[in-house]
Amino acid sequence: MGVAALMVSGVTLVAPALLPSGPAGVASAQPAECADVQVVFARGTGEPAGIGRVGDAFVDALRPLVPGQSVDVYAVNYPASYDFLRAADGANDASAFVQNTVATCPDTRIVLGGFSQGAAVIDALAIANQPTLGFTNLLPPAAADHVAAVAVFGNPSIRLLGGPLTSLSPQYGYKTIDLCNGADPVCSGGDDRPAHSLYVQAGLTTQAAQFVASRLTSEAPITTLAGQTHG
C-alpha cells in the first residue's frame, strides 16, 4: 500500500549531512499537569535525538502565536536512520504517545509534525488503515478529534503517492499544512537538493506555525463525543 512505500523509500534522494542539528473517549476533568497544546514532532533522517532543526524552528515560531497557552513538545522516538523500515518504530511510538495523551489529557489540543522521513512517520498515522511493514499501533479513528493541526515539511508522500497529505487523508487532510520547498526532490519532481536543508531559511516553519496557531485559536477544547469531527 502507499504507506508501505513511504516507509521503505523514506528520503533516499538527499543526504542528511545537509541538515545541521539542532483509552480514547470523554473524560470528566483535565489533569492539572496537562498542557493546552501538545506538539508531537518527528525529526528527519540523520538528525540527532530530539525534534531536529526544522522542529525546533517550528515550535519556536508557534509559542508566541498562542499566548496564554502552555505548549509541550514530544520528540518521536525512532532511529531516523538510513534503515527506512525503522520509520515504523516512529509511527508506533507517536501513536502510543498520542493515544496516551488522549486518554489522560482529553482537552489537550494535539499538533502532529514531521520533517522528511519524520513527515513519512506522520503520514503513516494519518493514512494507514491496516498494519503495514511493522506499523501495528494504528491510531483509532476517534483520535483525530483531538488533533487540532498537522504540519509536515519535505514530505515524500507528494513524490511517492502523487499528492500531499492534505488530499490523501480524509480525517486529517483538512487540518494539515504540507510544505515543499521549491524543487526539493524529496517532495517534488525537482532536483534542487540544497532546498531540502533550507526550510527554516525559506520561512516555511513560520508559515506552518501561523497555520497551526490559527487552528489552535479557532478551536475549543475537545469535550464532545469521540468520533465527531471538528471543522
Side-chain angles (χ1 to χ4, degrees), residues 88-230:
D89 296 348
N92 286 324
D93 179 75
S95 179
F97 183 86
V98 168
Q99 291 181 65
N100 183 67
T101 300
V102 168
T104 58
C105 298
D107 282 342
T108 292
R109 277 82 58 79
I110 299 170
V111 175
L112 301 178
F115 167 62
S116 199
Q117 186 181 172
V121 168
I122 301 305
D123 289 337
L125 297 185
I127 299 172
N129 56 14
Q130 63 185 28
T132 180
L133 289 177
F135 177 39
T136 57
N137 191 14
L138 276 63
L139 281 178
D145 293 353
H146 299 261
V147 175
V150 181
V152 284
F153 309 84
N155 189 357
S157 74
I158 298 175
R159 179 175 55 84
L160 296 174
L161 302 183
L165 186 54
T166 52
S167 64
L168 294 172
S169 174
Q171 283 192 299
Y172 294 90
Y174 74 94
K175 59 181 77 175
T176 295
I177 185 167
D178 193 331
L179 295 170
C180 185
N181 187 25
D184 176 357
V186 171
C187 53
S188 77
D191 59 0
D192 185 359
R193 298 164 80 93
H196 194 61
S197 67
L198 298 175
Y199 279 80
V200 178
Q201 294 88 334
L204 297 184
T205 50
T206 298
Q207 180 180 339
Q210 292 168 340
F211 170 85
V212 169
S214 71
R215 290 200 54 82
L216 290 170
T217 55
S218 65
E219 284 198 341
I222 304 300
T223 55
T224 57
L225 294 177
Q228 183 173 344
T229 300
H230 301 276

